[in-house]
Amino acid sequence: MNKKLLISSVVVVFFAFAKAYSQQTLNSVLQKNEAVQNMLENNYDILINRNRLEVADNNQSILNSGYLPSVTGTAGANYSNTDSRTEFGTTADSTGAILPPRRPVVLNDQIARRYNASIGVDYLLFDGLGRFYNYKILKEQYDLTDLEVRQVIESTTLQLMSVYYEVARLTENLSVFEQTLQNTKKRETRAQYQFEYGQVNKLEVLNAQVDINTDSITVLNARQNLENAKRDLNLVMNREINATAFTVDTLVVLKPELEIISYLNEVEDNVRLMISRSNVQIREWDINTTKALLLPRVGLSGNYGWNRSEDPQSPFFPSRTGTSDALNLGATLTWNIFDGGRSITGLENSKITAENERLRLEQTEKQVMRDIANARGDYENALAIYRLQTQNVETNRNNFSRSEEQYRLGQITSIVLRQAQINLVNAQTTQNLAKYNAKLAELQLLQLAGELMNQEL
C-alpha cells in the first residue's frame, strides 16, 4: 500500500513539474540581447561574410606576400636489367695473316642504376617595391572585408530589431483587441440582462453580438499576424521557424534626444565612409604596384645536386660506380625596358581608377550627410508624433470611461459607446505604431553615426 502511494506521489510530482516547465517554456521571454546574440551566431548572411573575412585573413598572411623564397626539390632513380651478346669478326696480325675470331662475349642480367637528387632555392631580392605595396593592399583588403562584415551585421541588426519590434507591436495590439473583446462581451451580457427585465429592446443585444463577432475576427487576425511575425523573427535568427511559443519584451526605452543628437557631431565611424576611404587607399597603393613594372628585378638562385651511377661491366670495360655533387649560385637582373607600352597604359589606368574612387568618396560623404539629415528629421518627427499619440490615448481613454458610465445610466446608445470604444482602440494601436517607429528611427540614426553596435538596444 505504501509502495503504491509512493508511486502515485512520484507521478503527481512529475506531471506537475512537466506542466510547470511547459508553461514556463510557453511564456519564455526572448530578450533583445538574446535575439541579437542568436543573430550574431546563426544568421546566414553574417556567417557567410565571416567566412569571407577568414579568406581575407589568409590572403594577408606572410605566406601569400611573395617575401618568402621558393624552394624546389627533385629526386629520381632509374633501373635497367640488360642481356647482351657480343660477337667479334676476324682480324689480321702484323704479317697480314688472318686470325680466328674471338669467342662471343655473353653478358646476362647486367644491372645498371642511376640516382639523382637536387634542391633549388629562388628568391626575388628586388621587384621595384611592387611586392611591398601588394602586401599593404592585402592588409587593407582584410580591413575592408572586416568593414563589410560590420556593415552586414549593422544592417542585419536593424532588420532584426525591426522584426522584433513588429512582434512587440502586434503583441500589444493583440492585448488591446482581446481587452476590447472582453468589454464587448460584458456589454452583451449586460444588454441580455436588461432585455430580460424589459429595460432595453432586442436591438441592443443584437448590436452587442455583432460587435462581438467583429472583435473576435479582429483578434483572430491579430493572432495570425503575430504568429507570422514570430516566424520572420526566427528566420533572421536562424532558429526553428515554427518555434513561436515565446513572447518578446514590449518595454521600449527611448534615449534622451540630446544624447542621440550628440553622436551626429562626429560621423567618422560611419561604416559606408570607412569602406569608401579604404577603397581609395587600395587604389592609391595599386598605382605603386603598377609603377614597379617599370623598374628592374633582381633575383638570387642556388642549387645543390647529387648524382650516383652504377654501371655493369661491358665487353670492353669493367663495371664502374660514379658519384658527383655540385653547388651552383647565381644572380639575375631583369629589366623589361619596353614592353610595347602596356605597363605605361596600366599605370595611367590605375591613376584614373584611383581618381574615380576619390570621387566616389566625395559622393558617399554627401549621401551620408543627406541620409543623416533625413534620418534626424524622421527621428524628431517620430518623437513628436509619439508624444501626441500618447496624449490622444489618454483623451480617448477618458472619453470611453465617461461613455461607459453614460451608457449604464441610459444617457447614450450602444452605437455611441461603440464609437468611443473604436476610437480608443485606434488611438492605442496608433500609439503602439508611433512608439516603435520612434525607436527604429533612433536606431537608424545610431547606425548612421556608427554607434549602433556600441549601444544597448
Side-chain angles (χ1 to χ4, degrees):
M1 185 67 180
N2 291 336
K3 194 173 185 180
K4 292 183 177 180
L5 180 61
L6 178 61
I7 294 175
S8 300
S9 301
V10 171
V11 171
V12 170
V13 171
F14 173 77
F15 279 107
F17 175 79
K19 182 177 180 181
Y21 178 79
S22 176
Q23 187 68 23
Q24 181 183 5
T25 302
L26 183 64
N27 297 327
S28 61
V29 179
L30 178 66
Q31 300 292 340
K32 289 185 281 290
N33 58 349
E34 182 184 354
V36 172
Q37 187 65 30
N38 287 333
M39 175 204 71
L40 292 176
E41 293 176 356
N42 302 315
N43 181 268
Y44 286 118
D45 290 334
I46 294 177
L47 293 177
I48 291 172
N49 280 275
R50 280 180 175 162
N51 287 337
R52 288 182 56 237
L53 184 61
E54 288 190 21
V55 172
D57 190 23
N58 293 334
N59 289 338
Q60 70 160 350
S61 168
I62 188 68
L63 298 176
N64 191 46
S65 65
Y67 274 109
L68 300 180
S70 61
V71 180
T72 304
T74 60
N78 289 309
Y79 170 87
S80 65
N81 190 328
T82 307
D83 294 336
S84 65
R85 175 184 174 88
T86 304
E87 296 181 352
F88 299 93
T90 59
T91 60
D93 60 12
S94 58
T95 62
I98 301 301
L99 299 177
R102 290 176 54 189
R103 296 178 58 186
V105 177
V106 178
L107 298 175
N108 295 326
D109 295 326
Q110 299 300 294
I111 296 175
R113 297 181 180 89
R114 299 277 191 281
Y115 304 98
N116 65 84
S118 67
I119 184 169
V121 179
D122 292 294
Y123 184 69
L124 182 62
L125 184 64
F126 179 75
D127 67 342
L129 297 179
R131 176 176 50 184
F132 171 75
Y133 286 105
N134 187 62
Y135 188 49
K136 294 176 75 69
I137 288 175
L138 292 175
K139 292 285 188 182
E140 189 65 31
Q141 285 177 340
Y142 171 79
D143 294 336
L144 174 61
T145 306
D146 190 33
L147 290 173
E148 291 172 344
V149 172
R150 173 186 158 187
Q151 186 178 42
V152 170
I153 290 176
E154 288 184 357
S155 300
T156 309
T157 301
L158 269 184
Q159 179 188 6
L160 172 75
M161 298 315 300
S162 176
V163 180
Y164 185 94
Y165 285 134
E166 178 66 7
V167 173
R169 184 184 73 86
L170 293 175
T171 299
E172 291 194 306
N173 284 355
L174 177 59
S175 179
V176 170
F177 296 146
E178 289 176 341
Q179 183 61 45
T180 301
L181 177 59
Q182 294 301 320
N183 292 336
T184 306
K185 288 182 177 180
K186 291 178 182 178
R187 177 162 67 86
E188 192 268 341
T189 301
R190 187 184 306 113
Q192 189 69 39
Y193 285 142
Q194 290 175 335
F195 172 71
E196 291 176 357
Y197 287 101
Q199 297 177 356
V200 297
N201 56 31
K202 186 66 174 178
L203 182 60
E204 291 292 331
V205 177
L206 295 176
N207 285 339
Q209 291 175 347
V210 170
D211 292 340
I212 287 175
N213 290 335
T214 301
D215 292 342
S216 297
I217 293 173
T218 302
V219 168
L220 289 175
N221 288 332
R223 285 176 179 167
Q224 183 59 43
N225 291 336
L226 178 59
E227 291 292 307
N228 293 343
K230 287 183 178 180
R231 294 186 184 95
D232 292 339
L233 183 58
N234 286 335
L235 180 62
V236 178
M237 296 186 296
N238 191 18
R239 298 203 312 177
E240 173 60 37
I241 295 297
N242 292 317
T244 58
F246 65 90
T247 59
V248 297
D249 184 9
T250 58
L251 177 63
V252 172
V253 179
L254 295 172
K255 296 182 181 297
E257 187 174 354
L258 291 178
E259 179 184 346
I260 298 298
I261 300 304
S262 68
Y263 293 130
L264 303 180
N265 296 330
E266 297 289 340
V267 292
E268 294 299 315
D269 291 334
N270 180 279
V271 69
R272 287 174 57 196
L273 288 177
M274 296 176 72
I275 288 175
S276 187
R277 294 190 189 105
S278 182
N279 281 322
V280 170
Q281 184 63 76
I282 289 174
R283 294 308 174 191
E284 289 179 350
W285 281 333
D286 191 51
I287 294 175
N288 292 310
T289 60
T290 308
K291 287 180 179 179
L293 298 176
L294 303 175
L295 298 176
R297 301 162 66 91
V298 178
L300 302 177
S301 63
N303 179 273
Y304 173 78
W306 173 85
N307 292 275
R308 177 182 175 86
S309 60
E310 298 176 0
D311 296 321
Q313 66 177 341
S314 68
F316 306 101
F317 299 100
S319 63
R320 60 190 181 277
T321 299
T323 303
S324 65
D325 58 355
L327 176 64
N328 299 308
L329 298 176
T332 58
L333 172 65
T334 305
W335 194 349
N336 193 353
I337 298 175
F338 184 69
D339 61 354
R342 288 189 296 273
S343 298
I344 297 176
T345 302
L347 178 59
E348 294 300 320
N349 290 339
S350 296
K351 292 179 180 179
I352 295 173
T353 302
E355 177 62 23
N356 285 339
E357 288 299 334
R358 286 190 286 269
L359 292 174
R360 289 192 183 96
L361 174 58
E362 294 179 7
Q363 181 186 36
T364 302
E365 288 174 345
K366 293 184 181 297
Q367 289 175 344
V368 169
M369 297 306 297
R370 186 271 322 269
D371 294 342
I372 289 177
N374 290 345
R376 179 173 179 176
D378 293 340
Y379 169 69
E380 293 172 348
N381 187 62
L383 285 181
I385 291 176
Y386 175 56
R387 296 188 187 105
L388 291 174
Q389 290 298 336
T390 301
Q391 297 174 3
N392 193 32
V393 167
E394 291 301 319
T395 301
N396 280 277
R397 184 177 284 114
N398 293 334
N399 180 57
F400 178 67
S401 297
R402 293 182 181 181
S403 297
E404 276 191 317
E405 184 64 28
Q406 291 177 340
Y407 177 72
R408 293 191 191 96
L409 298 176
Q411 295 177 356
I412 61 173
T413 64
S414 60
I415 296 177
V416 177
L417 176 63
R418 177 64 175 177
Q419 187 59 49
Q421 186 182 39
I422 292 174
N423 291 339
L424 176 59
V425 171
N426 291 338
Q428 289 174 318
T429 55
T430 304
Q431 182 202 28
N432 290 337
L433 179 61
K435 175 175 65 174
Y436 294 112
N437 282 345
K439 186 61 179 179
L440 289 175
E442 174 188 297
L443 296 179
Q444 288 172 349
L445 264 183
L446 289 174
Q447 182 198 23
L448 289 171
E451 291 288 333
L452 180 63
M453 304 310 297
N454 299 329
Q455 303 293 321
E456 184 177 354
L457 302 177

